[in-house]
Amino acid sequence: MHSSHNPPPEPTAEQLAHARAEHRRHVEFYQRLQQVSAHHNPRFSVTNVIIALNIAVFIVMGFLGAGWFMPAEDGMLVYIKYGANNGAATTNGEWWRLLTCMFMHYGIIHIAVNMWALYQAGAFLEKLQGRFIYALIYLASGLSGGFASIIWHGDQTWSAGASGAVFGVFGAILGYMLRMRSGLPATVYKPIMKSTATFAVYNIAFGAAVTGIDNAAHIGGFAGGVILGAALAQPLDLSLRRIRRLQTLGLAGLLLTALIFGGIKLTPRFNYSVTDELAWGTKEASILNKLNTLGTSRNGVLKKFASDNNTRELANWIDSSLIPTYRELLEETSSPRFNPDQITAKRQKLLITALDESRQTWADFNTRLKDDRAFDLSTCMQRSNQIVANFNQANKALKYEALPRKNKNPATGAPDSSS
């Protein structure tokens, strides 16, 4: 078989002129980009500093027990304690988690993927926008992703990782290109637009298909990056950048303030504090363990009483051991102070009530026992068991939930007294 191909047509003079002009604009773009960043030491770039900080935090977290390849058995407690992002924890006054979560990663693969993506895109955006604006965009995009994660997931997930901020870097490149499109050569504009859009679409689709990926943070970070990249786009001219410096800083401050106040306003509040719940969980476990020990001791004494019917010995044990132990447990239970409007204080109050009722039940029984009045041990035991059952039922009925938006104070998360 034979085939023939027609040679491509010769380019016209107009096409050649256009190609030469585009090539010249392409070269000029990268020359200007090099000029505005020539005074930067690449070894101490913001991108390298951010990567170094992420690696340092990862190593410290690993030694604290977070786990190197994935969270260890007790590793999540390390993330919770030191700054992962969660609706109930962050919006309860621990807003610093929006920053700390950006430097924490769930294993070496997680950090490697994020840092590689940052290394690829960050250096370019840093040259494009300048160090200060680039650093602000990175942090603000991370905040935007953190707020989005809370709004979408509430208290149902513990989010960590730099990906919200990294998505913001790609979004900022896209925003810059859209803002500066008319002054950019097609050889620069088109491939960068295509690569950033491909990055966003592919990774968001991947995040939607795979569980355990916080897509809300990705989308929030990317959207924040696009807005910031477009709004704060810097010309590739040092003199113009200096002239517009105050204007740019003012706009950056305004956008950051709007992001923070808007995020605080829109994020939900919850009826519990994670920090309080962790503290109470440790305290409650200790108290319940002591109650189990007391119950075992009590059952041994009652078993002996059933065989020898020595009322004086039983009364002395109740006076010298049982009642004082209840008093000690009441004092221990009452010692932490929690927000009375939140669920932890209500759980604490239930246990205080149960301990006090148990103490009073055995004190009344012992009064009858010592006065040689008619006493009914089985009734006392039934009453004691009922107190425990009532406590368990009431404790179980308390639910972790979001507060109604119309009744909360956006600054504190507490019910708004003015509503």
Side-chain angles (χ1 to χ4, degrees):
M1 296 181 63
H2 298 275
S3 62
S4 62
H5 296 281
N6 294 324
E10 291 290 330
T12 64
E14 184 179 351
Q15 289 173 330
L16 286 173
H18 177 75
R20 283 193 292 267
E22 279 296 303
H23 176 71
R24 185 172 60 254
R25 293 179 67 201
H26 181 94
V27 172
E28 288 173 353
F29 171 83
Y30 282 101
Q31 285 177 341
R32 292 197 305 272
L33 187 64
Q34 185 62 34
Q35 287 171 358
V36 296
S37 60
H39 61 290
H40 294 170
N41 187 332
R43 287 185 297 178
F44 299 101
S45 69
V46 174
T47 301
N48 288 346
V49 170
I50 292 171
I51 291 173
L53 286 173
N54 275 275
I55 293 172
V57 170
F58 178 73
I59 292 171
V60 171
M61 293 284 289
F63 281 114
L64 288 173
W68 298 102
F69 295 95
M70 61 182 63
E73 184 175 349
D74 295 326
M76 278 307 302
L77 287 176
V78 179
Y79 289 98
I80 292 169
K81 182 177 180 181
Y82 291 105
N85 185 31
N86 171 274
T90 304
T91 64
N92 196 57
E94 298 179 3
W95 297 102
W96 48 269
R97 289 177 177 272
L98 291 167
L99 287 175
T100 53
C101 74
M102 295 163 54
F103 296 90
M104 303 168 70
H105 290 85
Y106 292 128
I108 195 167
I109 295 176
H110 188 199
I111 188 174
V113 170
N114 278 342
M115 293 305 99
W116 175 251
L118 177 61
Y119 180 76
Q120 294 293 309
F124 179 69
L125 182 63
E126 187 172 348
K127 291 179 180 179
L128 210 58
Q129 295 280 51
R131 286 182 168 181
F132 181 81
I133 297 300
Y134 165 68
L136 184 143
I137 288 174
Y138 181 87
L139 292 174
S141 296
L143 292 178
S144 178
F147 281 127
S149 179
I150 295 173
I151 292 169
W152 184 262
H153 297 293
D155 63 341
Q156 297 304 302
T157 187
W158 287 93
S159 180
S163 52
V166 173
F167 266 78
V169 169
F170 280 90
I173 293 172
L174 182 62
Y176 183 97
M177 294 296 154
L178 291 171
R179 170 78 180 276
M180 299 295 194
R181 178 176 181 176
S182 60
L184 295 173
T187 53
V188 171
Y189 171 77
K190 288 183 178 179
I192 291 178
M193 285 283 289
K194 182 178 179 181
S195 63
T196 53
T198 300
F199 169 86
V201 171
Y202 172 79
N203 283 283
I204 290 172
F206 181 78
V210 178
T211 58
I213 295 178
D214 191 354
N215 238 0
H218 293 172
I219 295 171
F222 188 80
V226 171
I227 294 170
L228 291 164
L232 302 176
Q234 298 291 291
L236 295 181
D237 185 306
L238 280 176
S239 59
L240 284 177
R241 287 192 178 191
R242 292 191 184 101
I243 293 171
R244 300 180 184 178
R245 179 174 296 171
L246 289 179
Q247 179 184 350
T248 303
L249 291 177
L251 179 58
L254 182 64
L255 290 172
L256 184 60
T257 301
L259 169 64
I260 292 172
F261 278 92
I264 291 174
K265 177 71 175 179
L266 293 173
T267 45
R269 303 297 185 274
F270 297 85
N271 66 345
Y272 70 101
S273 158
V274 173
T275 302
D276 286 354
E277 281 291 285
L278 288 173
W280 175 245
T282 302
K283 173 74 72 174
E284 186 182 45
S286 172
I287 293 167
L288 294 179
N289 184 56
K290 291 175 182 178
L291 278 173
N292 287 334
T293 303
L294 180 63
T296 301
S297 177
R298 182 197 65 189
N299 292 340
V301 172
L302 293 179
K303 184 177 180 181
K304 186 175 184 300
F305 173 73
S307 63
D308 60 21
N309 202 32
N310 189 333
T311 56
R312 184 176 296 276
E313 184 178 352
L314 176 59
N316 286 339
W317 180 82
I318 293 173
D319 268 340
S320 64
S321 184
L322 187 65
I323 301 300
T325 301
Y326 274 122
R327 289 198 184 103
E328 291 173 6
L329 291 175
L330 274 167
E331 185 177 348
E332 183 179 351
T333 305
S334 303
S335 61
R337 292 290 182 265
F338 300 114
N339 185 333
D341 296 318
Q342 294 186 333
I343 201 171
T344 311
K346 296 174 183 178
R347 292 177 60 196
Q348 180 188 33
K349 186 177 179 180
L350 286 176
L351 185 54
I352 290 172
T353 300
L355 288 170
D356 193 45
E357 288 179 352
S358 297
R359 180 197 60 78
Q360 188 61 49
T361 296
W362 283 102
D364 292 344
F365 170 80
N366 204 31
T367 298
R368 290 178 171 273
L369 192 65
K370 289 188 291 186
D371 292 347
D372 292 326
R373 288 187 285 166
F375 64 88
D376 188 345
L377 179 58
S378 63
T379 299
C380 180
M381 288 295 296
Q382 288 174 3
R383 172 60 182 155
S384 182
N385 291 335
Q386 187 60 48
I387 290 170
V388 173
N390 290 343
F391 165 76
N392 289 333
Q393 183 178 5
N395 202 32
K396 188 177 181 180
L398 294 174
K399 303 293 185 184
Y400 301 133
E401 57 190 9
L403 294 169
R405 183 170 293 275
K406 64 180 180 179
N407 292 330
K408 74 174 189 332
N409 184 324
T412 65
D416 192 343
S417 59
S418 65
S419 60

